[in-house]
Each structure stands twice: as structure tokens, then as C-alpha cells.
Amino acid sequence: MICVPIVEESVEKALISAERALEVADIVEFRVDYFKEIREEDIVEIAKYPSIITIRAHWEGGKYRGSDDKRIELYKVAIENNVRYIDVELKEKRNRELVDFRDNVNSKTKIVISYHNFKETPSYNKLLDIVNKELQIGDIGKFATMVNNNRDILNVLRVIQEFEGKVIGIGMGKKGKLTRILGTYFGSILTFASMENKSSAPGQIDVEMLKEIYRLISES
């Protein structure tokens, strides 16, 4: 599954970009933290699309600097409207609250618990520990770590394979591009690809280029 991040400053532009992205991708990620203004009615609208809703906190590399209470309430609106996925950080102290809320309102939303490291890729055992902690909370574990060498690539792919079908694994940066191509072959639920030179993390491959790579692989 290919996911295109939508990184626009308004919901109007985000919806236009999402329509275009869904012509070539399976799902989109609305990076709501990029919005200059975030309203509950906007969450209701974007939840109608096959999407991940992410309101990434600034302390995890995102742009959201509003109150944590507001962020949690916006996530709850997304859950009430049965968005396909929400992405909330492992470091977020209230992530279990969102899971409990989802269960209490009988929502179909799957909750992704995520870890990001923009400097390095932790060791294989450390990554295993991180994903295990994520899966003790949410439905899907996610990690996105900076790849600095070939060993990092192997560790990312090994951990994906260990949690096949339960994880989203990403190696960031130029050296991490191989993980974006091969991750889904090893069991990552999805990979992220950019569109129109708009990306949400370093190393994302253009969606059309990624699809061509997959085509060439499948035909070889």
C-alpha cells in the first residue's frame, strides 16, 4: 500500500491535493499539524477520505504547537467519524486514552502508535523493544528512523519482517530510500511516497517513480 502525505496549510488545499493523490495512491496521510487553523468540522470532512489523520506534535518533529487537550479532542473527533487510521506518538502520555475512547464508542478507527528518530536508527534489539511497546498500546506499530549506513537498512528491514503485517517501518534520508522500496515486501503495511515535490520526511520517493520501480520489479 502506498500512502501520500498531504502537507498543505489549509483544509481546502489539502482536499484538492488528496483528490489528486488518490488517483495514484491507495491512501493519504493528512498532516493536520501543517494547517494554519484546525477546526473540528475540518476533521469531520477529511475523515471521509481513505486516510491517516496525523497531528504531529512539535516535540516529535511536527508543526503542532497548540494545547495537548485540543489535539486529543481533535483525534477523538476523527475516531468518532471512523477515519481509517490516526497516528499518535509513543511518547504521547494520553495515547491509551485514545485507544480506550475508540473502544468505548465502537469506532472502526485503527490506531497507529509511532516513534521517530531524525538522527539515527537504534539497534535491532532497541527497535524490537520500541515496536513491542507500541503494539501493547495500539493496533499498529510505526517507526521512522534516520539511516546512516547499510547496517541501519538491514535492521529496519529485519524489524519489519519480525512484525510482518503489524508494523509500518521506514528508514529516512537518502540512504534509507531502499527501505521505502522494499519495506512492503518485508511486511510493512504501507510506504510513504511524495507527490509534486511535497514531502513530510527526508528521503520520500516520488509516487510515480515508486510505482514504476514496483512495476519493473514485478516484471523482472
Side-chain angles (χ1 to χ4, degrees), residues 25-36:
D26 303 293
I27 190 172
V28 294
E29 178 190 33
F30 287 107
R31 284 294 301 268
V32 177
D33 52 302
Y34 277 69
F35 292 2
K36 286 187 174 180

Side-chain angles (χ1 to χ4, degrees), residues 30-89:
F30 287 107
R31 284 294 301 268
V32 177
D33 52 302
Y34 277 69
F35 292 2
K36 286 187 174 180
E37 180 185 5
I38 310 174
R39 303 174 300 177
E40 288 190 5
E41 53 261 44
D42 296 335
I43 299 294
V44 174
E45 186 63 27
I46 63 180
K48 297 174 183 177
Y49 289 75
S51 64
I52 306 167
I53 287 182
T54 301
I55 315 170
R56 181 72 66 231
H58 67 92
W59 41 260
E60 188 86 1
K63 293 182 175 291
Y64 183 81
R65 290 184 174 273
S67 75
D68 193 48
D69 286 345
K70 177 66 173 177
R71 191 169 81 112
I72 296 299
E73 287 306 311
L74 290 168
Y75 272 132
K76 288 181 178 179
V77 172
I79 291 169
E80 286 178 317
N81 285 273
N82 289 298
V83 69
R84 192 172 296 183
Y85 303 97
I86 65 165
D87 179 326
V88 63
E89 305 83 5

Side-chain angles (χ1 to χ4, degrees), residues 4-154:
V4 169
I6 305 299
V7 287
E8 302 287 359
E9 293 185 342
S10 69
V11 67
E12 292 80 13
K13 290 181 178 179
L15 292 176
I16 292 170
S17 293
E19 294 279 359
R20 290 202 300 267
L22 288 169
E23 293 177 2
V24 291
D26 303 293
I27 190 172
V28 294
E29 178 190 33
F30 287 107
R31 284 294 301 268
V32 177
D33 52 302
Y34 277 69
F35 292 2
K36 286 187 174 180
E37 180 185 5
I38 310 174
R39 303 174 300 177
E40 288 190 5
E41 53 261 44
D42 296 335
I43 299 294
V44 174
E45 186 63 27
I46 63 180
K48 297 174 183 177
Y49 289 75
S51 64
I52 306 167
I53 287 182
T54 301
I55 315 170
R56 181 72 66 231
H58 67 92
W59 41 260
E60 188 86 1
K63 293 182 175 291
Y64 183 81
R65 290 184 174 273
S67 75
D68 193 48
D69 286 345
K70 177 66 173 177
R71 191 169 81 112
I72 296 299
E73 287 306 311
L74 290 168
Y75 272 132
K76 288 181 178 179
V77 172
I79 291 169
E80 286 178 317
N81 285 273
N82 289 298
V83 69
R84 192 172 296 183
Y85 303 97
I86 65 165
D87 179 326
V88 63
E89 305 83 5
L90 178 62
K91 294 178 183 177
E92 170 55 60
K93 295 178 181 178
R94 297 172 67 183
N95 49 32
R96 291 183 186 273
E97 178 183 331
L98 292 172
V99 175
D100 291 341
F101 178 81
R102 186 272 312 275
D103 294 343
N104 289 336
V105 299
N106 295 314
S107 170
K108 297 178 182 177
T109 299
K110 297 293 185 183
I111 297 179
V112 180
I113 304 296
S114 59
Y115 165 86
H116 301 81
N117 190 323
F118 294 91
K119 294 182 179 180
E120 62 183 3
T121 294
S123 68
Y124 172 72
N125 287 332
K126 177 65 174 176
L127 279 178
L128 286 179
D129 183 56
I130 288 167
V131 177
N132 272 315
K133 287 178 179 177
E134 292 172 340
L135 291 175
Q136 288 171 11
I137 302 168
D139 306 293
I140 297 165
K142 174 189 169 188
F143 64 92
T145 61
M146 185 61 67
V147 168
N148 295 311
N149 53 56
N150 291 345
R151 183 178 294 276
D152 290 344
I153 295 172
L154 290 173

